[in-house]
């Protein structure tokens, strides 16, 4: 059984290591952008909050102890021309060592089941997998 996932941002390599947001900003610099030009574009479209050039430099060179706030992430996303979700995921990975896989094409019940299974023991996960596989097999047999 496979689950659909949202496609990664096209044309960009997935950064490795713990400094994922730092790498997104560095990639813009490597393409010829400057900290100042990025900062000039770094405005949250909803709140108007901005991100300064010195803050961007710290994120790349010596990341602060605390992650950016949601408005700051939105401002960085706007500045980099990336989806907010990409910047949010990069922030979560860099500061919390948390990586999520987004399910696409499913309803909220499916998301709840996946979150529930994440906390289950390996034996319970195997039991759920067998139930799901049995359901898929029954559906295939009915469709034949």
């Amino acid at each position: 059984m496979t689950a659909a996932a949202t496609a990664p941002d096209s044309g960009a390599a997935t950064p490795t290591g713990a400094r994922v947001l730092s790498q997104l900003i560095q990639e813009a610099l490597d393409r010829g952008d400057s900290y100042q030009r990025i900062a000039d574009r770094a405005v949250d479209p909803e709140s108007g909050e901005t991100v300064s050039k010195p803050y961007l430099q710290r994120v790349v060179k010596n990341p602060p102890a605390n992650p950016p706030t949601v408005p700051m992430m939105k401002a960085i996303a706007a500045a980099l021309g990336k989806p907010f979700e990409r910047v949010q995921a990069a922030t979560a990975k860099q500061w919390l060592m948390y990586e999520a896989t987004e399910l696409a094409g499913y309803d909220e019940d499916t998301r709840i089941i996946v979150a529930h299974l994440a906390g289950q023991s390996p034996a319970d996960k195997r039991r759920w997998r067998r139930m799901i596989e049995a359901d898929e097999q029954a559906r295939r047999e009915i469709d034949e």
Side-chain angles (χ1 to χ4, degrees):
M1 181 173 88
T2 60
T6 55
D9 192 23
S10 61
T14 303
T16 58
R19 295 178 57 162
V20 187
L21 182 61
S22 301
Q23 184 62 37
L24 284 179
I25 297 167
Q26 184 62 54
E27 287 170 2
L29 297 168
D30 293 345
R31 287 189 305 271
D33 224 334
S34 70
Y35 284 112
Q36 187 59 60
R37 285 194 302 265
I38 296 170
D40 291 344
R41 294 189 309 263
V43 179
D44 173 12
E46 294 173 13
S47 71
E49 184 164 337
T50 62
V51 176
S52 69
K53 174 184 170 182
Y55 182 81
L56 293 168
Q57 289 171 320
R58 279 194 310 277
V59 169
V60 172
K61 296 176 192 275
N62 187 18
N66 295 318
T69 64
V70 171
M72 292 170 76
M73 287 187 285
K74 289 179 180 179
I76 293 168
L80 299 177
K82 303 282 184 196
F84 169 72
E85 292 78 13
R86 175 105 190 265
V87 172
Q88 184 182 40
T91 300
K93 187 164 185 178
Q94 181 162 333
W95 273 270
L96 303 174
M97 276 62 77
Y98 175 79
E99 188 169 0
T101 300
E102 177 67 25
L103 297 177
Y106 297 96
D107 60 19
E108 288 303 311
D109 290 340
T110 302
R111 293 174 194 277
I112 291 167
I113 291 168
V114 170
H116 174 74
L117 291 176
Q120 297 290 317
S121 70
D124 284 339
K125 287 180 190 175
R126 285 192 301 274
R127 184 174 60 83
W128 275 93
R129 180 184 300 263
R130 287 187 189 118
M131 288 188 302
I132 292 167
E133 290 169 348
D135 179 69
E136 288 177 344
Q137 179 64 33
R139 287 177 193 267
R140 280 194 297 271
E141 290 171 1
I142 290 170
D143 291 341
E144 291 177 354

